[in-house]
Amino acid sequence: MKTEKISELTTNRLSVYLRCLNELSEEGAKTVSSGKLAKRFHLNSAQIRKDLACFGEFGVRGVGYYIDDLREQITKILGLDKDHRVGIIGAGRLGMALTDYYGLTQSNFEVVALFDADKKKIGSTIGGVEVFDFKKVKQVIKKEKIDVAVIAVPAEYAQKVLEEVSKAGIKAVMNFAPTPLQASSDVKVKSIDLTISLESLSYFLAQP
Amino acid sequence: MKTEKISELTTNRLSVYLRCLNELSEEGAKTVSSGKLAKRFHLNSAQIRKDLACFGEFGVRGVGYYIDDLREQITKILGLDKDHRVGIIGAGRLGMALTDYYGLTQSNFEVVALFDADKKKIGSTIGGVEVFDFKKVKQVIKKEKIDVAVIAVPAEYAQKVLEEVSKAGIKAVMNFAPTPLQASSDVKVKSIDLTISLESLSYFLAQP
DNA sequence: ACCTGTGAAATCGTTCACAGCA
DNA sequence: TGCTGTGAACGATTTCACAGGT
């Protein structure tokens, strides 16, 4: 068991392992070895063992891992045994699509509020979720106990939005605006930049 | 000038540099040093120089880089001097949102077709883009000269979709389905996995 | 025989520090 | 003096390889 800082690469992979285990569990398997997991899901077995070893000794030598037990452990490690309440800032197409996306997915993330500055949108509901005035973001976050914010506004407003939700006590933010954001160190920002991804594909296509 | 393989991290940063240069250019600046760029956009100056050095010697000692010249160079390197035609598979909320997103963004990526298996959707248009029967994906890709595919279908269909578009000659794929995909080595797949990102935020929130 | 957990080695990426040019 | 381009140092991550447990 490592006590060092856990890399984000490791936590990302934990998500992947959990998915793999869910699949195996549905097939009725009881145990699995890191080698089998690696082969089937195209991972590296040493890496699986190392990642898991950061959090404890979950395996049994000669046997492997008990699937349901390991699922439970990873669920706890990732904090997926607790529900999260999500607020999406920006009720444009992307915000709406994300609202629906998480509405459909059965997960422990629930979208409970949308925010926008556009008077025409405020008060309407999308997939059962109300659109609030962004000016009221702080009070709604408190009232609805929102703990995850999703930024789906144009790039030029993103930093301002981040500052407002931070002031309201949000510690976890997912950013879709194509711009880097400055956050204080106790706020975690994950950025998903579609432009960078597309341009990276373009680079690949441009190679001779 | 390096002749080694270029890391994806480098090409991703090239996108970022290009954005920064566009911003500076709009402000009327003519030249910029790696140090200035680094300070202003919170990057590392040595890394900027190293990244650029992979592709040539674009700078002038004692001066820095000529902004418009460097913009042109990076544009060429990333293949952004050529237009790309995008087909989105899956005309659900996400596919629709992405269609609009790229429709609004003025870029060299144009969404020219949507695909779905749902008879009710086939034939309709979203933001001026027609929804085609997925069975016709190969012929539409050829006819419309589509070179980038976006997978926005449920996870269980994603691998099948990838195989079909690969057969149609697509070499660049952006995948939004929360599942890893197997592609032949001449096809570039970029996956954006919202579930992994959210679960990683959940891990952060779960830390004491 | 099989499999975990883990040091050691290899690989990959970032940052430093400076020679050399304008 | 100011700045680039780059070898060298450093740090992070992945993979190997094997001791040790079942």
Side-chain angles (χ1 to χ4, degrees), chain B:
Chain B
M1 168 118 161
K2 283 254 178 50
T3 47
E4 298 163 40
K5 228 174 103 277
I6 307 299
S7 139
E8 193 157 319
L9 297 168
T10 295
T11 61
N12 286 350
R13 283 190 297 263
L14 248 34
S15 280
V16 174
Y17 302 156
L18 188 52
R19 255 185 222 158
C20 298
L21 292 168
N22 288 338
E23 202 172 298
L24 289 171
S25 179
E26 271 179 33
E27 292 167 17
K30 291 297 167 220
T31 65
V32 70
S33 68
S34 61
K36 289 258 176 62
L37 258 183
K39 201 152 220 175
R40 166 137 174 200
F41 299 100
H42 307 94
L43 309 165
N44 177 293
S45 66
Q47 186 155 71
I48 296 172
R49 294 196 299 275
K50 269 250 161 87
D51 285 336
L52 295 176
C54 294
F55 301 98
E57 307 206 351
F58 304 127
V60 182
R61 285 161 204 240
V63 177
Y65 301 89
Y66 288 97
I67 291 175
D68 286 340
D69 176 47
L70 188 55
R71 281 211 296 169
E72 204 174 306
Q73 298 286 349
I74 296 179
T75 300
K76 226 175 243 165
I77 291 165
L78 290 175
L80 299 175
D81 52 342
K82 297 188 183 62
D83 285 340
H84 295 291
R85 294 171 69 80
V86 179
I88 297 180
I89 297 95
R93 279 278 192 178
L94 184 60
M96 283 160 60
L98 292 169
T99 306
D100 265 42
Y101 182 82
Y102 295 121
L104 296 175
T105 316
Q106 78 289 29
S107 72
N108 59 325
F109 293 89
E110 191 190 352
V111 179
V112 296
L114 279 153
F115 297 93
D116 209 292
D118 183 346
K119 292 263 189 286
K120 286 189 289 267
K121 287 175 183 164
I122 296 166
S124 65
T125 66
I126 291 158
V129 180
E130 187 175 346
V131 181
F132 294 92
D133 189 341
F134 181 65
K135 283 180 190 152
K136 293 184 183 156
V137 69
K138 192 163 176 178
Q139 68 191 74
V140 176
I141 284 172
K142 299 284 187 200
K143 194 173 165 218
E144 292 289 338
K145 299 187 192 312
I146 290 169
D147 63 347
V148 176
V150 174
I151 299 181
V153 301
E156 58 265 42
Y157 306 121
Q159 182 65 41
K160 171 76 175 157
V161 167
L162 174 60
E163 285 158 19
E164 292 298 319
V165 300
S166 299
K167 272 190 222 161
I170 292 289
K171 300 291 178 215
V173 178
M174 186 144 195
N175 171 48
F176 286 89
T179 187
L181 297 178
Q182 290 301 307
S184 76
S185 63
D186 63 335
V187 178
K188 180 80 169 180
V189 179
K190 271 256 183 184
S191 278
I192 289 183
D193 195 316
L194 301 179
T195 305
I196 290 177
S197 298
L198 269 185
E199 294 188 350
S200 166
L201 286 178
S202 177
Y203 171 79
F204 178 79
L205 289 173
Q207 290 323 100

Side-chain angles (χ1 to χ4, degrees), chain A residues 7-171:
Chain A
S7 137
E8 193 158 321
L9 296 167
T10 296
T11 61
N12 287 348
R13 282 190 297 263
L14 247 35
S15 278
V16 173
Y17 303 155
L18 187 54
R19 256 186 222 158
C20 298
L21 291 168
N22 287 340
E23 201 172 300
L24 289 169
S25 179
E26 271 179 33
E27 292 167 16
K30 292 295 168 221
T31 65
V32 69
S33 68
S34 60
K36 290 258 174 60
L37 258 183
K39 200 152 220 174
R40 164 135 174 203
F41 298 100
H42 307 94
L43 310 164
N44 177 293
S45 67
Q47 187 156 70
I48 296 172
R49 294 197 298 276
K50 270 248 161 90
D51 285 336
L52 295 176
C54 294
F55 302 97
E57 305 207 351
F58 304 126
V60 181
R61 286 162 202 241
V63 178
Y65 302 88
Y66 289 97
I67 291 176
D68 286 339
D69 176 46
L70 189 55
R71 281 211 296 169
E72 205 174 305
Q73 299 284 353
I74 296 179
T75 300
K76 225 174 251 165
I77 292 165
L78 290 177
L80 299 175
D81 53 342
K82 296 188 182 64
D83 286 339
H84 295 290
R85 295 171 70 79
V86 179
I88 298 181
I89 297 95
R93 279 277 191 180
L94 184 60
M96 284 161 61
L98 291 168
T99 305
D100 264 42
Y101 182 83
Y102 295 120
L104 297 174
T105 317
Q106 78 291 26
S107 73
N108 60 326
F109 293 89
E110 190 190 352
V111 178
V112 296
L114 278 153
F115 297 92
D116 210 292
D118 183 347
K119 293 261 188 288
K120 286 189 289 265
K121 287 175 182 162
I122 296 166
S124 64
T125 66
I126 290 159
V129 180
E130 186 175 345
V131 181
F132 293 92
D133 189 340
F134 181 65
K135 283 179 191 152
K136 294 182 183 156
V137 70
K138 192 164 177 178
Q139 67 189 77
V140 177
I141 283 173
K142 298 283 185 202
K143 194 173 166 217
E144 291 289 337
K145 297 186 195 312
I146 291 170
D147 63 346
V148 176
V150 174
I151 298 181
V153 301
E156 57 266 41
Y157 306 120
Q159 181 66 40
K160 170 78 173 156
V161 167
L162 174 59
E163 284 158 19
E164 291 298 319
V165 300
S166 299
K167 271 189 225 160
I170 293 289
K171 299 290 179 214

